[in-house]
Amino acid sequence: MTALGTAPGLGAPAAPVRRGRRRSTPFLLALVGTAYLAVFFVIPLLSGLIVSLMSGNPDDGYTFTWNFGVYSALFVDPQVPYLTFLLRSLWYGLAATLVTIIVGYPVAYFIAFRVSARWKSPLLMLVFVSFLVSFVIRTDMWAFVLASQGPVVTVLQGIGLAGKDFQILGTSGAVVFGDAYNDLAFMVLPIYAALERIDPRLGEAANDLYAGKVRAFWHTTLPLSRSGVFAGVLLVFIDCVGDPVNSALLGGTNTYTIGQAIQDAYSGNQQYNVAAALSTVLMVVLGIILFVYARVSGTDDLEDLV
């Protein structure tokens, strides 16, 4: 009797152990993500901040001197208008983001609701097929297509929509087009992921309540896909603002961006502290803009994409 009575007690300590493991599992998983962010985000950010506070030159080297004056010098030097470059980059990023939303949302909507299940994967692969080619090569090929003797300008001139002096390459439009083209997939995928989670019966219910297609879309589909648009804006805007490739290959002297300024300061002039200071300023500005955008748009539904 004693043995039988105490037998259940032998397994009693196992329950608290299992509960302890279940409680610790989320913290262990969060530890992996925290370590990843620390190694690839926090440490580089702090390293850039430290480098920006150094003084010196490429010949004699750089030493840490708490040189906060480099930040004020960035925006008072009349020979190098870094503020103009920054504002221009923000404008290009905003314009390219709007273009990707206008083009990408109908594409995502069509794949999510207007094609059969067997065609969805092939169509999504077509969206990403351009990534099989190098980013620089794709952009450089557009420089050929948009050139003054290229097919686009030649066709426009042939049908009388452009004059002899008309050009696309070297303009702001070419840079925005390049940014939007290269980042279009980053807008399509999150919007498609959000639309795919919407129950089609909601639209049918809206129609049964005498809502037209436009009204049903505006009050049902669009609000429910807000998380996808939000994620796409984050991906596209951040990438476009700091990109130096499109402005260098598709732009001209009047399309110089902050990304080019950072690249030239680091690799061209070897002004490592200036390049680090510009990078830090850009990250702070982007952080403020995205924080305000998140507060205005709301991020309650963003976790649905995870």
Side-chain angles (χ1 to χ4, degrees):
M1 291 295 294
T2 304
L4 294 175
T6 57
L10 295 177
V17 172
R18 288 194 295 268
R19 286 196 297 268
R21 290 177 178 176
R22 286 196 297 267
R23 292 175 180 176
S24 62
T25 298
F27 294 99
L28 293 177
L29 295 176
L31 182 62
V32 176
T34 303
Y36 180 88
L37 290 176
V39 172
F40 295 102
F41 180 75
V42 178
I43 294 178
L45 181 62
L46 293 177
S47 300
L49 179 61
I50 293 173
V51 173
S52 68
L53 299 178
M54 292 182 176
S55 300
N57 55 71
D59 297 328
D60 301 329
Y62 290 88
T63 57
F64 185 76
T65 58
W66 295 100
N67 182 26
F68 286 100
V70 67
Y71 287 95
S72 60
L74 293 178
F75 303 103
V76 298
D77 187 357
Q79 297 181 350
V80 186
Y82 289 115
L83 181 59
T84 301
F85 303 154
L86 176 61
L87 295 176
R88 182 181 295 151
S89 299
L90 294 174
W91 162 243
Y92 288 166
L94 176 61
T97 302
L98 293 176
V99 171
T100 56
I101 293 175
I102 294 172
V103 177
Y105 199 102
V107 174
Y109 185 91
F110 176 79
I111 297 175
F113 295 131
R114 294 291 183 252
V115 299
S116 60
R118 67 173 183 173
W119 286 105
K120 290 184 179 182
S121 295
L123 290 176
L124 288 175
M125 287 300 300
L126 287 177
V127 174
F128 287 93
V129 71
S130 62
F131 285 89
L132 299 177
V133 182
S134 170
F135 176 83
V136 177
I137 294 177
R138 285 186 281 124
T139 307
D140 194 42
M141 291 305 298
W142 275 113
F144 166 76
V145 174
L146 300 176
S148 299
Q149 304 300 324
V152 175
V153 176
T154 301
V155 171
L156 292 177
Q157 291 175 342
I159 61 179
L161 295 179
K164 295 182 179 180
D165 297 331
F166 177 77
Q167 63 177 11
I168 301 176
L169 191 64
T171 64
S172 298
V175 178
V176 172
F177 170 81
D179 286 331
Y181 162 75
N182 284 304
D183 288 351
L184 180 61
F186 296 141
M187 183 64 71
V188 173
L189 182 61
I191 294 179
Y192 168 79
L195 292 173
E196 188 69 13
R197 287 173 167 82
I198 299 177
D199 191 341
R201 292 176 297 181
L202 294 175
E204 297 175 0
N207 293 330
D208 292 339
L209 295 173
Y210 305 103
K213 293 183 178 180
V214 175
R215 190 174 182 181
F217 169 80
W218 189 260
H219 292 282
T220 304
T221 305
L222 186 60
L224 292 176
S225 62
R226 184 181 61 179
S227 59
V229 177
F230 179 84
V233 169
L234 292 182
L235 295 173
V236 174
F237 182 74
I238 294 175
D239 186 60
C240 291
V241 171
D243 174 53
V245 177
N246 286 284
S247 55
L249 297 180
L250 303 179
T253 57
N254 295 324
T255 61
Y256 196 81
T257 61
I258 194 67
Q260 288 179 270
I262 295 173
Q263 185 181 50
D264 291 342
Y266 183 83
S267 59
N269 303 325
Q270 294 183 334
Q271 295 176 316
Y272 304 127
N273 58 338
V274 174
L278 289 172
S279 301
T280 303
V281 170
L282 178 60
M283 293 187 67
V284 170
V285 171
L286 286 176
I288 294 174
I289 293 175
L290 295 178
F291 175 78
V292 174
Y293 172 67
R295 295 290 294 178
V296 173
S297 300
T299 58
D300 296 337
D301 298 330
L302 188 59
E303 61 185 12
D304 294 340
L305 297 178
V306 180

